[in-house]
Amino acid sequence: MKTDSNFTIFYTDDDPEDLEFFREATQSIDQSVELVTLSNGKELIDILDNPPPTPHLVFLDVNMPGLTGFDVLQHVRKTESREQLPIVMFTTSNDQVIIETSLRLGANFFVQKSSSFPNLKKSIEHAIKIDWSKFKTTSDNFVYAA
């Protein structure tokens, strides 16, 4: 697990209940995690363009009005300084087309949202434990399996 005293996660989702559920799960993790929640893709792009803070990891909902998670992912990957920013696509769907599109557009990881608090917490902890500087995304390790 990361030992940084300020491990920053950005989570972008248009659903206030999902944002709060994620916040509660993140706060229950036994480590210092700073969570920045954003309600749409434009907010995420704006904060990435105007740091601090700078995220160590981004969780990004796929289905949002306006800029979708795919739109934001494409925008982020076009910026050279953010090519290595770990992005986890986070959605209720486990549709193979969405998974394949996420991988093709440059996401590092894919997690299906869980309505179970223990499973949500476990998926966040798993993503935090990954050494993203060494992680090489492949179709075999792309999808989180609880």
Side-chain angles (χ1 to χ4, degrees):
M1 188 168 289
K2 304 292 184 197
T3 57
D4 295 1
S5 60
N6 292 330
F7 187 85
T8 304
I9 296 174
F10 284 7
Y11 174 40
T12 304
D13 196 315
D14 62 309
D15 185 324
E17 290 177 4
D18 284 353
L19 290 170
E20 184 56 32
F21 194 48
F22 193 96
R23 176 177 304 287
E24 290 170 9
T26 303
Q27 288 173 341
S28 73
I29 294 172
D30 186 25
Q31 85 167 46
S32 180
V33 174
E34 177 185 352
L35 177 64
V36 176
T37 58
L38 307 147
S39 61
N40 62 61
K42 182 178 180 335
E43 286 181 6
L44 176 60
I45 290 169
D46 289 346
I47 196 169
L48 289 172
D49 287 344
N50 298 290
T54 301
H56 293 89
L57 180 61
V58 173
F59 279 80
L60 181 59
D61 184 31
V62 172
N63 298 311
M64 295 184 291
L67 294 176
T68 68
F70 293 144
D71 296 331
V72 175
L73 178 59
Q74 287 180 293
H75 178 84
V76 170
R77 289 299 182 235
K78 288 180 183 176
T79 307
E80 187 175 331
S81 64
R82 295 191 207 115
E83 289 176 340
Q84 302 305 313
L85 176 63
I87 298 179
V88 176
M89 301 309 281
F90 193 63
T91 184
T92 55
S93 176
N94 66 350
D95 182 278
Q96 195 59 38
V97 172
I98 291 175
I99 293 169
E100 290 171 4
T101 302
S102 299
L103 181 61
R104 181 176 47 80
L105 294 178
N108 300 88
F109 207 55
F110 185 94
V111 175
Q112 185 178 9
K113 289 181 187 178
S114 176
S115 59
S116 157
F117 187 84
N119 288 345
L120 174 62
K121 180 180 173 182
K122 187 175 174 183
S123 66
I124 296 168
E125 287 175 320
H126 180 81
I128 290 171
K129 289 178 184 179
I130 293 173
D131 183 347
W132 292 105
S133 66
K134 296 179 181 172
F135 186 81
K136 301 292 183 219
T137 301
T138 67
S139 58
D140 293 330
N141 67 7
F142 184 63
V143 177
Y144 172 75

